[in-house]
């Protein structure tokens, strides 16, 4: 579930032609083992089954990824990218987790592995789970705290490196898009992305989408919020 970025380069390296992202990921695991999760760039969640070893392997990409929900008892294990699929088995009770709801009312989302349903867990981003008949082993394979420090001689070198990464990220995100559009707001992030998109597509128009009030708006604007974003 999700997508692998820079897929054409990876597909060529793994010699799997124009295969799907699922095929690319499977080939990557065959080639690199668990290192595949660090070598592939994208926003994805994966479920692999190894019949020979009777093992299910779950993984979510670092920083952001579609969810993976799982449930188990003493005799079975069920995993899916949506909890609806778990309940469709008829084995998983559909009961709301009241503690999760209470936490969310206070904007407390620190328990990322806790789902909205009793007994159903979520795999965290940058984490991997190996499921065998003997149990479930969950580990964190990616953490920002483990990244090596980046040191340059001059401040301008940091700006140049960040600029190159930003441009590459925009270029990858635009892959295959013929008529891209951007959601514009009053913040700096959308304006920055728009500027890089324009640089990547010189002379081509970029459609901007923004929020406008309904008729009868009272004209009130609150701190850090615009009621009318046309300007």
């Amino acid at each position: 579930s999700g997508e692998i970025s820079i897929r054409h380069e990876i597909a060529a390296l793994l010699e799997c032609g124009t295969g799907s992202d699922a095929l690319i990921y499977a080939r990557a695991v065959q080639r690199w083992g668990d290192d595949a999760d660090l070598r592939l760039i994208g926003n994805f969640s994966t479920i692999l089954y190894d019949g020979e070893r009777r093992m299910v392997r779950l993984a979510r990409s670092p920083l952001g990824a579609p969810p993976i929900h799982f449930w188990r008892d003493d005799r079975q294990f069920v995993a899916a990218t949506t909890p609806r699929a778990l309940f469709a088995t008829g084995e998983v009770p559909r009961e709301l987790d009241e503690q999760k709801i209470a936490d969310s009312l206070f904007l407390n989302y620190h328990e990322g592995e806790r789902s909205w349903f009793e007994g159903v867990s979520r795999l965290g981003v940058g984490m991997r789970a190996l499921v065998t008949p003997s149990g479930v082993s969950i580990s964190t394979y990616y953490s920002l705290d483990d990244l090596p420090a980046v040191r340059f001689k001059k401040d301008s070198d940091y700006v140049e490196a960040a600029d190159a990464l930003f441009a590459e990220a925009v270029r990858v995100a635009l892959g295959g898009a013929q008529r891209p559009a951007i959601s514009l707001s009053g913040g700096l992030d959308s304006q920055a992305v728009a500027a890089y998109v324009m640089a990547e597509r010189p002379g081509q128009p970029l459609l901007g989408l923004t929020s406008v009030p309904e008729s009868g708006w009272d004209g009130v604007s609150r701190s850090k919020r615009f009621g009318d974003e046309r300007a």
Side-chain angles (χ1 to χ4, degrees):
S1 178
E3 61 181 1
I4 295 174
S5 302
I6 324 179
R7 62 186 314 279
H8 297 297
E9 298 175 21
I10 292 293
L13 182 63
L14 296 172
E15 301 176 345
C16 52
T18 57
S20 65
D21 284 5
L23 176 61
I24 291 174
Y25 185 81
R27 287 283 180 86
V29 172
Q30 286 179 328
R31 175 81 62 89
W32 301 314
D34 286 342
D35 287 344
D37 294 316
L38 290 172
R39 298 190 64 162
L40 297 177
I41 298 175
N43 189 300
F44 53 85
S45 293
T46 61
I47 302 176
L48 289 176
Y49 174 62
D50 186 333
E52 292 184 0
R53 293 190 289 173
R54 297 182 65 199
M55 182 181 73
V56 176
R57 181 185 185 278
L58 315 175
R60 292 182 71 202
S61 57
L63 304 184
I68 292 183
H69 304 267
F70 63 90
W71 173 90
R72 60 177 170 143
D73 61 11
D74 58 355
R75 64 184 180 87
Q76 56 191 338
F77 178 89
V78 187
T81 53
T82 171
R84 188 183 311 167
L86 274 63
F87 304 134
T89 65
E91 300 287 341
V92 183
R94 184 171 184 150
E95 300 177 4
L96 287 174
D97 185 337
E98 294 188 3
Q99 184 60 55
K100 177 73 171 183
I101 296 174
D103 287 342
S104 69
L105 293 176
F106 286 93
L107 303 181
N108 173 17
Y109 298 107
H110 292 294
E111 285 190 277
E113 288 77 56
R114 190 169 192 154
S115 83
W116 296 97
F117 300 94
E118 285 281 357
V120 177
S121 300
R122 286 164 43 114
L123 191 67
V125 292
M127 298 181 72
R128 186 185 300 121
L130 301 179
V131 187
T132 64
S134 60
V136 180
S137 173
I138 299 177
S139 60
T140 299
Y141 70 86
Y142 179 94
S143 171
L144 287 172
D145 296 333
D146 296 333
L147 296 181
V150 177
R151 294 291 181 263
F152 295 122
K153 292 182 178 179
K154 301 178 296 182
D155 288 352
S156 58
D157 292 337
Y158 290 96
V159 176
E160 184 178 342
D163 177 72
L165 286 172
F166 204 139
E168 180 184 8
V170 169
R171 186 162 51 253
V172 170
L174 285 172
Q178 298 299 317
R179 296 179 59 197
I182 187 167
S183 174
L184 284 171
S185 66
L188 296 176
D189 50 356
S190 59
Q191 296 179 42
V193 172
Y196 279 79
V197 171
M198 297 294 286
E200 183 66 23
R201 305 170 75 253
Q204 300 182 64
L206 176 63
L207 177 64
L209 306 172
T210 193
S211 301
V212 298
E214 295 180 344
S215 59
W217 174 50
D218 59 11
V220 174
S221 292
R222 295 178 174 83
S223 174
K224 300 181 181 179
R225 292 288 185 275
F226 297 107
D228 187 344
E229 296 186 332
R230 275 176 289 201

